[in-house]
Amino acid sequence: MTASAYIVGTFDTKAEELRYVAGLLRQAGLHAITVDVGTRLSAEDADVPAEMVADQHPAGRAAVFKAGDRGAAVTAMTEALKRFIAAQSDIGGIIGLGGSGGTSIIAPAMRALPIGLPKLMVSTLAAGDVAPFVGVHDITMMYPVTDIAGLNRLSRVILANAAHALAGMMRHAVPQATDHRPALGFSMFGVTTPCIQQLTARLGQDYECQVFHANGPGGRALEAIAQAGLLQGMVDITTTEAADHLLGGVCTAGPERFDVVAKTGIPWIGSCGALDMVNFWAPDTIPARYHGRLFHAHNANVTLMRTTGDELEQIAAWIAAKLNASPGPVRLLLPEGGTSALDAPGQKFHDPAANAALFAAFERFFLQTDSHRLLRLPHHVNDPDFVRIAETQVRELVPL
């Protein structure tokens, strides 16, 4: 099947620009398909008219073309486009043109496509915070400089560069990897860096080690890679994002953290690294309910709060419930000597009583089976002995 370039936008406001980009892609030798996601007037010359996209909405096209309710129409078209794009089997690359409305419609459909498939969004929002649109996916955002409101000597150049960029991504094959080592995804924070550095050094000869910073986006990226089938195992030593999610910290990966383990059954070897802390920005950003707690100034802009035994019980119950749902093998390693560099004898967050509550809660809520095992280890998370045991578990669950 010929791989096609999909050009997506609202033909009721950007038809000229969309036709221009499609023409350039065809000149580059690509099969191009234009898709109209307008919510008002449908373009007769779009390869896929807006009505055809809208038909993909669960409630049909009537849910999209609501008279006088543009917000509801945009929301409905967003859902319809996601379903339309997911149903196409010939997408070799996709380019979208849009302002705020168009970007809101197109970006979610791009995020639903596989990682590695070329995605380029020309958006008037690209000079600002693009996190809501990109998420943790490989969407290239390009700022058009002028508004996307007609062709002129500047917009022709910007849009041509965008079209040629997509053509280049589609026409030039990615060199085939010669590395056949199983790929592992690791979660790491500054306070668990010694553990991960030792682990990757010990495993790196036999496994491809990909490290993700457990700061919220990093955890989401780790799980997106796993969901895409690009990992053979997760070495999730640093699960601190769960604490931030449940207690209102700024490094949350959201309520879906760990769900990929249940969805895919990917081998999971993990621990409770950095669960001794919740992350906030500068002190004046900390919620009033936490005043009087034990804090550590990581730097001028980041403040860490020590978790209590009660909070750790809540966190353990939440993580255990997620892991219990996995159909695959799970190894949960509990470092009784401490969970982070700050949680060690003589360090500010060392609290054996709070940790004891954490470990007891994991034993209570984590359901052990032949394939789901919990190991209590008399070591600190950054100790070489803990690392060696973690290495053994990885090699057992992710064979070469």
Side-chain angles (χ1 to χ4, degrees), residues 8 35 37 53 77-85 105-106 109:
V8 186
V35 180
V37 291
V53 178
M77 182 60 89
T78 302
E79 179 62 27
L81 180 64
K82 284 172 58 178
R83 291 170 178 266
F84 171 80
I85 290 296
I105 292 171
I106 300 166

Side-chain angles (χ1 to χ4, degrees), residues 115 136-137 212 217-231 260:
I115 290 173
V136 293
H137 300 271
F212 298 81
R220 293 197 300 273
L222 167 62
E223 299 210 341
I225 295 294
Q227 182 68 50
L230 301 177
L231 296 176
V260 71

